[in-house]
Amino acid sequence: MSIAKAISNAMSGLGATARGTETVASNLANAMTPGYARRDTVVVANALGGGVRVDGIARIVNASLVSESRLATAAVGDAGTRAAFHERMEEVVGLPGGALALSTALTDLQTALSSAATRPDDEIRLAQVVGAADRLATRLNDASKAVEATRSTAQRAIVADVAVMNQSLGRVAQLNTRISILDADGKDSTPLMDERQRLIDRIAKIVPLQEVAREAGQVALFTTEGAMLLDGSVPARLEFTGADQVVAGQVVGAPLELLTLNGTALTAGQMRLFGGGSLSANFQIRDDLAPRMQSELDHLASDLHQRLADPLVDPSLGAGDAGLFTDAGMRADAAGLVGLAGRIALNAAVDPAEGGQSWRLRAGLQAAAPD
């Protein structure tokens, strides 16, 4: 081998080594960059003339690990969304013994009633009953409003999740096309692949995904339950419409809506195609978890109302008269149970602030005289 040949081979090796060093430096610098995958320098021998040459940069990805990571991310999104709801409901209901707990307000009313029963002529004790009953009604009102607020928050979160998915899927489709063009030209497309991975990871927080490799560096995306989100350059289109505020009594179809996929409204059974992430958790909060909490509050309010509107408790009450608690000033009935916790109020007849008299607690709410 001539000296010139040897020098040429050495120079090619040094060039490949320098390129490899740059790749290692890039790997170290971007180790914590979201979406970045380790690169390896592909070095091959020159078929003619000897020496080596860099044949490109390979993007090294453990597809199985990435898939498991995305499924775990979706599970965290689902669990985290539900946990936030339950934490909020714990704050609303309160722990037993807590100063603002519903159980404490109920206990205070029971204590005040027992105290007033021993000295019904004591105006101070009667005033304590009025105050305790008013606080209990207010706590129920606040709890009901908080439940409605969580449903409204979930509704707005669904709108945001759908917007993020549509935007991200559209960009992934564009990247698919661009990557296939660069691959055909023999150019480096790894930075675009990093961006695509970041976008797919963002979608995976909302809906659990499966990524399937296609030709020319493209990928297809499916939910783990089988809904096609992207295959090629045309992404699926999700749609969702809903008011910012959700109130007690609203259910799916009257007037709440579910998702629409490519122009077709999904049924409750088909919604399982998008189960497992933050999107499905927000739907469950809006349509199941929060309504169940609302129902429990309404039944508690109804029980209080009915117990203290019983003629056996207060013989002065007629069939249509409200007792110590009212449904927005009226007597509650079974048809108006939904949302009762948000409407229950102290009867104005015993509330001095509303022109009532506390002695009616002793003589009867409909009594004509204090005696």
Side-chain angles (χ1 to χ4, degrees), residues 32-54:
M32 302 302 293
T33 301
Y36 184 85
R38 180 173 63 85
R39 268 67 155 166
D40 274 354
T41 305
V42 180
V43 180
V44 298
N46 283 322
L48 299 174
V52 296
R53 61 182 175 85
V54 176

Side-chain angles (χ1 to χ4, degrees), residues 309-335:
D310 190 336
L312 295 178
V313 174
D314 183 353
S316 74
L317 296 177
D321 293 329
L324 181 59
F325 294 105
T326 72
D327 181 357
M330 306 295 291
R331 178 162 182 157
D333 56 32

Side-chain angles (χ1 to χ4, degrees), residues 46-99:
N46 283 322
L48 299 174
V52 296
R53 61 182 175 85
V54 176
D55 195 38
I57 303 297
R59 185 172 183 270
I60 310 302
V61 176
N62 186 325
S64 177
L65 184 60
V66 170
S67 177
E68 291 298 323
S69 175
R70 286 174 179 164
L71 293 177
T73 297
V76 169
D78 178 276
T81 302
R82 294 169 189 261
F85 166 79
H86 290 300
E87 288 175 3
R88 177 59 182 141
M89 292 302 99
E90 181 180 293
E91 294 175 0
V92 168
V93 175
L95 296 176

Side-chain angles (χ1 to χ4, degrees), residues 26-331:
S26 178
N27 287 337
L28 292 173
N30 291 283
M32 302 302 293
T33 301
Y36 184 85
R38 180 173 63 85
R39 268 67 155 166
D40 274 354
T41 305
V42 180
V43 180
V44 298
N46 283 322
L48 299 174
V52 296
R53 61 182 175 85
V54 176
D55 195 38
I57 303 297
R59 185 172 183 270
I60 310 302
V61 176
N62 186 325
S64 177
L65 184 60
V66 170
S67 177
E68 291 298 323
S69 175
R70 286 174 179 164
L71 293 177
T73 297
V76 169
D78 178 276
T81 302
R82 294 169 189 261
F85 166 79
H86 290 300
E87 288 175 3
R88 177 59 182 141
M89 292 302 99
E90 181 180 293
E91 294 175 0
V92 168
V93 175
L95 296 176
L100 299 178
L102 274 173
S103 59
T104 300
L106 182 58
T107 299
D108 289 346
L109 176 60
Q110 292 173 327
T111 301
L113 285 169
S114 298
S115 176
T118 62
R119 286 289 305 276
D121 60 319
D122 190 338
E123 295 295 332
I124 294 178
R125 299 192 186 197
L126 296 179
Q128 289 174 342
V129 173
V130 172
D134 189 47
R135 287 192 295 273
L136 178 55
T138 300
R139 291 289 297 122
L140 285 168
N141 296 160
D142 292 343
S144 181
K145 290 176 183 176
V147 172
E148 289 184 356
T150 60
R151 297 188 74 192
S152 299
T153 299
Q155 175 102 321
R156 292 191 291 272
I158 293 168
V159 173
D161 283 347
V162 169
V164 169
M165 286 190 64
N166 284 329
Q167 181 184 22
S168 300
L169 287 171
R171 180 57 180 160
V172 171
Q174 294 174 356
L175 291 172
N176 264 351
T177 301
R178 183 60 181 162
I179 289 169
S180 64
I181 293 174
L182 291 177
D183 281 355
D185 293 341
K187 297 180 180 178
D188 182 18
S189 62
T190 54
L192 297 184
M193 291 182 177
D194 289 343
E195 181 184 354
R196 185 175 65 186
Q197 180 168 319
R198 287 195 296 271
L199 291 168
I200 296 174
D201 290 344
R202 182 190 301 175
I203 299 171
K205 295 178 182 178
I206 301 171
V207 176
L209 294 176
Q210 290 290 350
E211 178 182 330
V212 180
R214 297 297 194 216
E215 296 179 353
Q218 296 193 7
V219 296
L221 299 177
F222 301 85
T223 69
T224 54
E225 294 295 332
M228 192 277 289
L229 297 179
L230 173 67
D231 196 355
S233 59
V234 181
R237 181 70 183 176
L238 287 171
E239 295 178 357
F240 176 79
T241 57
D244 286 344
Q245 300 297 323
V246 180
V247 300
Q250 291 184 335
V251 296
V252 174
L256 304 182
E257 297 186 8
L258 299 177
L259 291 177
T260 297
L261 178 62
N262 296 326
T264 302
L266 300 182
T267 65
Q270 291 171 330
M271 284 294 294
R272 66 177 180 79
L273 295 171
F274 294 87
S278 64
L279 182 64
S280 65
N282 281 312
F283 270 110
Q284 185 159 30
I285 289 171
R286 189 198 70 172
D287 301 334
D288 181 30
L289 297 179
R292 270 194 279 166
M293 175 62 72
Q294 181 70 57
S295 177
E296 291 176 4
L297 292 172
D298 291 341
H299 279 87
L300 173 59
S302 177
D303 186 58
L304 280 170
H305 178 282
Q306 297 302 330
R307 284 177 182 270
L308 297 173
D310 190 336
L312 295 178
V313 174
D314 183 353
S316 74
L317 296 177
D321 293 329
L324 181 59
F325 294 105
T326 72
D327 181 357
M330 306 295 291
R331 178 162 182 157

